[in-house]
Amino acid sequence: MGETIKIAVTPVIQGGGSLFTPEQFATIGKVVGTDAKIEMTSFKQLYVEIPLERREEIVASLQQSGLEVYPAGFVTKSLIACNFCKGAEEAGLETARIVNKAIAGIETPTPIKVGYAGCALGTSEPLLKDIGIVKMRNTFDVYIGGEAKGLKAVPAKLLVSGVSEEELPQVITKIISFYKENAKGKEKFNRFVDRITLEKISANCL
């Protein structure tokens, strides 16, 4: 196969969850070939290993089928959203898409997972993500520092409440930028939050 590269493939954020169509799966199989390695990740992305020389061609075909393609590895993952069970408008589907467009694929010292819940039920488990967003009526609460792995799993801590729809993408990107600028090497995000403190992050990002 020669030199290869991994790409992250995901369906668009939509009501009902992470829904692939049969045609999209068929497209993936057709364009990557029978020798490709495809991994289902815990953050709702397919990691697909493809020939580097065919990257542009394959990405274009996947995007044409309605899929989204992002870098794999040490980047901010595409938004891990809920199923929008309260409806697209009430749960903030369009806002989630705007946030995803702002954050997905940003290079980071370690991979960053951002969760989004359209209501306080939190079915997407946003408080177990590095950054969690919870819609509360017409504004949003932002949590940071969650860790789901290991025996010392911890929920994220509330950083700010009452963030408007217009302010939300900028708040999240500022947090990610502050982490990039101040992390020590490959410091995990939750450890970064503990070291820097909520107060300093709030002072620099809000």
Side-chain angles (χ1 to χ4, degrees), residues 48-198:
V48 184
E49 188 174 3
I50 61 172
L52 180 59
E53 62 183 15
R54 294 186 57 216
R55 183 184 186 281
E56 291 186 9
E57 167 204 342
I58 289 172
V59 168
S61 295
L62 295 173
Q63 290 174 334
Q64 191 173 6
S65 74
L67 294 166
E68 296 182 348
V69 182
Y70 301 103
F74 284 22
V75 297
T76 304
K77 305 305 178 184
S78 52
L79 191 69
I80 304 168
C82 64
N83 292 349
F84 302 94
C85 59
K86 291 186 176 294
E89 184 173 351
E90 185 175 345
L93 174 59
E94 189 56 36
T95 302
R97 288 175 173 171
I98 292 170
V99 171
N100 180 65
K101 186 175 181 180
I103 66 166
I106 297 174
E107 291 187 6
T108 46
T110 61
I112 293 288
K113 299 174 186 176
V114 182
Y116 178 96
C119 69
L121 288 175
T123 55
S124 56
E125 300 178 339
L127 269 62
L128 293 178
K129 307 298 188 290
D130 296 295
I131 302 172
I133 302 166
V134 181
K135 189 173 189 292
M136 304 293 288
R137 295 185 181 273
N138 296 319
T139 61
F140 300 84
D141 291 353
V142 177
Y143 296 78
I144 60 173
E147 175 55 71
K149 293 180 181 178
L151 298 178
K152 296 182 179 180
V154 293
K157 306 173 185 69
L158 180 64
L159 177 68
V160 59
S161 58
V163 178
S164 71
E165 180 180 353
E166 294 75 22
E167 296 169 328
L168 185 62
Q170 185 177 15
V171 168
I172 304 303
T173 54
K174 278 186 175 181
I175 294 169
I176 295 170
S177 295
F178 187 68
Y179 167 58
K180 288 180 62 175
E181 293 164 4
N182 295 279
K184 291 184 175 180
K186 295 181 179 180
E187 183 178 29
K188 293 183 68 174
F189 186 78
N190 70 310
R191 293 178 182 172
F192 168 80
V193 171
D194 289 342
R195 177 174 64 83
I196 296 293
T197 73
L198 288 176

Side-chain angles (χ1 to χ4, degrees), residues 1 3-11 20 24-41 43-52 54-55 58-59 62-63 65 67-73 77:
M1 183 184 286
E3 189 175 357
T4 62
I5 186 173
K6 278 187 179 180
I7 57 173
V9 180
T10 182
F20 290 87
Q24 287 171 338
F25 274 128
T27 297
I28 293 171
K30 180 179 178 181
V31 300
V32 304
T34 56
D35 294 329
K37 295 179 180 178
I38 302 176
E39 173 192 355
M40 172 58 77
T41 70
F43 36 89
K44 298 187 177 183
Q45 291 182 337
L46 293 178
Y47 270 8
V48 184
E49 188 174 3
I50 61 172
L52 180 59
R54 294 186 57 216
R55 183 184 186 281
I58 289 172
V59 168
L62 295 173
Q63 290 174 334
S65 74
L67 294 166
E68 296 182 348
V69 182
Y70 301 103
K77 305 305 178 184

